[in-house]
Amino acid sequence: MLTVNARATFGPQGPFKLAQIERRELQPHDVLIEIKYAGICHSDIHTARGEWGPVKYPLVPGHEIAGIVTKIGSEVTKYAVGDRVGVGCMVDSCGTCANCQHGEEQYCLNGMTGTYGDTDKYGQYTQGGYSTHIVVTEDFVVRIPDGIELDAAAPLLCAGITTYSPLRHWNAGPDKKIAVVGLGGLGHMAVKFAHAMGAEVTVLSQSLKKKADGLELGADHYYATSDPETFKLLAGSFDLIINTVSATIDINAYLSLLSLGGTLVNVGAPGEPLPVNVMSLIGHRRSFAGSMIGGIRETQEMLDFCAEHGIVPEIEVVHANQIDEAWERVLASDVRYRFVIDISTMENA
Ligand code: NAP
Ligand code: ZN
């Protein structure tokens, strides 16, 4: 076992404290990654606060991991010491079910292994990226293209792939009108990707406070959802809506913005159910869908797409001592647009 430093929460309300956690000895296909940066995802908060169900403490969140390979197992073929790599929301899956075989490991029929708060095939409780090192089987590691700095790369491992995947699946492109609901970590990446794919992009945010940013990120239009006029004006307009909101919202108001046959994809994952008015679906042949991260192959494709199109997240790098503060700001929708922890500050408590 390798003992490494981490920041852990010991209960639903924190605070984060310096802690030591165990990483397994390298198995033949494992790589040891020295983590340089870890993004803060709203899912870290939902999980740690028990909003998605009971969780075991201490918990080390973090599934937007960027770092350097420092050691490899005896049979590793994909990575070498010194490689710039990333790890996202999952660290393993069965590899044999139909979904894994199709490169959709996130939908593994036997249950993928989450990067933190899960139990891996060795029976060990998984702990995430708010730590100095992680051991991961090479099949769940992706390569960070040279053109992307490691701090900016980190949020691509969750916020990036979670928005890229549904945009690809529902064919975002020049002939599509797409709305992005919520301009946070996921939302701002959805805007960048949809714009790069050639779609006409509209941001639907609670207020107009971030309008200048939204247009700068690539949106063509920007509306405040606090204004009831927005829903009248945009009724029936969009082919695709990506809802990234972390809280329950009146989903039927947003469904009414879909055109005939349009789809609203929820990537936002509040702990409470969202009641859907089926008449709104029936009357316009609309779909209400969900999407979870993306497979490993698609995550690599997304990273390469970012390098090719010069797409990087907008980040604010924080010290490991500022995690609690950063979480409060995420909860207050005061994030522009992703907090990333500088792991080199981990040991300076
Ligand atoms: P985030 O940075 O906090 O962004 C969420 C945005 O939603 C906020 O910035 C805010 O944007 C809007 N919002 C927040 N509270 C709201 C409310 N009460 N009413 C209306 N709008 C509100 O969070 P994130 O990291 O992007 O994650 C967003 C959600 O996606 C979370 O639920 C997370 O767990 C989930 N998620 C899902 C997956 C997946 O695989 N499906 C992966 C990662 C994350 P405005 O200020 O612009 O309104
Ligand atoms: Zn995430």
Side-chain angles (χ1 to χ4, degrees):
M1 287 285 181
L2 182 68
T3 304
V4 306
N5 283 321
R7 292 296 168 118
T9 176
F10 290 75
Q13 295 305 323
F16 276 89
K17 291 184 189 149
L18 189 61
Q20 271 75 47
I21 55 168
E22 303 284 320
R23 299 299 192 190
R24 66 173 178 263
E25 285 299 329
L26 252 63
Q27 302 301 301
H29 283 284
D30 283 345
V31 300
L32 173 66
I33 300 166
E34 183 185 338
I35 303 175
K36 297 290 188 187
Y37 295 95
I40 293 178
C41 178
H42 207 118
S43 303
D44 299 348
I45 305 177
H46 290 306
T47 307
R49 300 200 164 179
E51 291 167 20
W52 288 347
V55 63
K56 205 171 94 185
Y57 303 100
L59 176 77
V60 178
H63 58 206
E64 293 186 335
I65 299 171
I68 307 281
V69 173
T70 52
K71 205 173 168 189
I72 58 171
S74 57
E75 289 172 35
V76 168
T77 56
K78 296 180 178 159
Y79 297 99
V81 170
D83 284 354
R84 306 164 78 249
V85 294
V87 176
C89 302
M90 52 185 175
V91 288
D92 211 349
S93 73
C94 82
T96 54
C97 74
N99 295 351
C100 285
Q101 291 283 307
H102 285 109
E104 305 266 31
E105 302 88 353
Q106 74 278 31
Y107 304 119
C108 174
L109 295 171
N110 294 303
M112 56 86 157
T113 307
T115 303
Y116 58 79
D118 205 348
T119 303
D120 65 21
K121 67 180 173 212
Y122 305 99
Q124 199 181 358
Y125 188 58
T126 59
Q127 298 282 25
Y130 297 7
S131 63
T132 59
H133 298 79
I134 190 165
V135 174
V136 182
T137 184
E138 61 177 331
D139 286 346
F140 284 78
V141 175
V142 288
R143 193 174 293 282
I144 295 173
D146 285 339
I148 306 177
E149 298 296 333
L150 290 181
D151 53 359
L156 295 174
L157 277 304
C158 175
I161 184 60
T162 301
T163 48
Y164 180 89
S165 183
L167 287 169
R168 278 283 186 238
H169 185 81
W170 277 277
N171 302 312
D175 53 342
K176 293 280 161 63
K177 288 189 176 181
I178 298 182
V180 175
V181 190
L183 197 64
L186 267 58
H188 95 290
M189 289 312 303
V191 170
K192 288 194 181 215
F193 286 135
H195 174 69
M197 292 169 190
E200 183 178 333
V201 186
T202 300
V203 172
L204 301 174
S205 177
Q206 293 167 96
S207 73
L208 294 177
K209 275 192 288 196
K210 296 179 271 191
K211 182 172 179 182
D213 288 357
L215 299 177
E216 181 84 5
L217 293 165
D220 301 286
H221 317 282
Y222 197 107
Y223 294 91
T225 53
S226 51
D227 181 354
E229 283 303 311
T230 294
F231 291 90
K232 289 186 194 150
L233 193 70
L234 301 177
S237 327
F238 300 108
D239 301 300
L240 181 64
I241 300 177
I242 308 281
N243 174 24
T244 75
V245 175
S246 48
T248 49
I249 54 175
D250 176 7
I251 206 67
N252 299 306
Y254 293 85
L255 286 170
S256 75
L257 305 184
L258 289 172
S259 57
L260 175 66
T263 301
L264 189 159
V265 184
N266 231 84
V267 289
E272 302 296 322
L274 287 175
V276 170
N277 173 5
V278 293
M279 289 307 178
S280 174
L281 302 180
I282 290 169
H284 307 264
R285 206 201 286 142
R286 292 169 173 147
S287 302
F288 180 49
S291 182
M292 184 169 68
I293 49 172
I296 296 296
R297 191 167 59 217
E298 194 174 40
T299 304
Q300 188 64 60
E301 176 192 308
M302 177 274 308
L303 288 166
D304 297 341
F305 181 90
C306 288
E308 189 186 326
H309 293 265
I311 293 175
V312 280
E314 305 299 316
I315 57 167
E316 185 173 335
V317 176
V318 295
H319 190 288
N321 284 345
Q322 295 173 299
I323 298 171
D324 296 290
E325 201 182 302
W327 277 31
E328 287 310 320
R329 284 184 53 196
V330 170
L331 288 166
S333 300
D334 177 27
V335 52
R336 296 192 182 204
Y337 282 85
R338 199 57 144 185
F339 290 108
V340 173
I341 306 163
D342 176 355
I343 299 299
S344 72
T345 64
M346 181 68 57
E347 271 119 53
N348 315 325

